[in-house]
Amino acid sequence: MSFQPVFAQFWEKVKESIENHTYAKLTLAKTIGDTDLKNIYVRPVLNNDVLSMSITARYKTEEVESFHSLEETFFVLAPYMNNPFLTALLFTTENDISFKLNKKRVGSIVEQAPTFKNASDVILEMKEKGI
C-alpha cells in the first residue's frame, strides 16, 4: 500500500491550518541513514499580500531556500517523503500533527497537544489583513 494518500490527507491539514490561521511551522525530519540533506523547514511568507511558502532545505554544509505557492509546495515536498524523510511535523496552535512512515513504509497521522501557543507571524499578519 502506498503512503501517498495518507500524505495527501496530512497536506489537507496543512492547508486547513493556514486557512484557519493556526499554522506555526512545518518540518520534514528523521532521515533514513546518514544523508547530506538533514531537514526541510516550510514557513509562510507574504510578498505584496500574496502568500507563498519558503522551503529551506538544510544540508550538512549549506542551506538552500526556495519559494513556492501552497499547491506547488505539496509537489516539492512529496518526493522527499520516504527518500530520505520518514516524518513530517505540522505545528499549529491547536495541535501538533505528525505524518510518520513505519518500517513497512505505511503512513499514519498522529495528533498531539500543541507545542506552539502562537501562529507564525506571517499567518497572524494575514489574519489582521483578512487574507
Side-chain angles (χ1 to χ4, degrees):
M1 182 178 142
S2 171
F3 64 85
Q4 283 148 339
V6 181
F7 188 67
Q9 288 176 346
F10 173 79
W11 191 254
E12 288 302 313
K13 293 181 182 290
V14 172
K15 293 194 299 191
E16 285 171 21
S17 71
I18 291 171
E19 290 168 10
N20 297 336
H21 301 104
T22 61
Y23 181 101
K25 75 175 186 174
L26 174 65
T27 303
L28 270 59
K30 194 170 182 187
T31 60
I32 303 166
D34 185 25
T35 61
D36 191 39
L37 180 59
K38 291 299 173 191
N39 41 31
I40 294 176
Y41 301 104
V42 181
R43 293 187 172 88
V45 290
L46 276 179
N47 189 359
N48 297 325
D49 290 344
V50 175
L51 173 71
S52 61
M53 304 304 282
S54 162
I55 300 176
T56 304
R58 183 166 289 158
Y59 295 87
K60 284 182 180 178
T61 57
E62 67 177 337
E63 284 185 12
V64 177
E65 185 175 28
S66 60
F67 298 92
H68 305 274
S69 72
L70 185 58
E71 292 304 317
E72 290 171 342
T73 300
F74 172 79
F75 295 105
V76 170
L77 296 180
Y80 289 105
M81 291 313 303
N82 193 36
N83 186 21
F85 297 106
L86 295 176
T87 304
L89 303 162
L90 170 63
F91 298 95
T92 75
T93 57
E94 294 176 343
N95 47 29
D96 292 353
I97 303 168
S98 302
F99 169 79
K100 297 181 180 183
L101 292 174
N102 65 15
K103 288 180 183 176
K104 294 181 180 179
R105 301 304 183 253
V106 175
S108 64
I109 297 174
V110 178
E111 295 188 19
Q112 296 177 303
T115 302
F116 290 84
K117 289 183 175 42
N118 297 315
S120 149
D121 290 344
V122 171
I123 296 295
L124 293 175
E125 182 181 343
M126 287 172 56
K127 187 175 181 179
E128 280 179 21
K129 292 181 176 183
I131 298 173

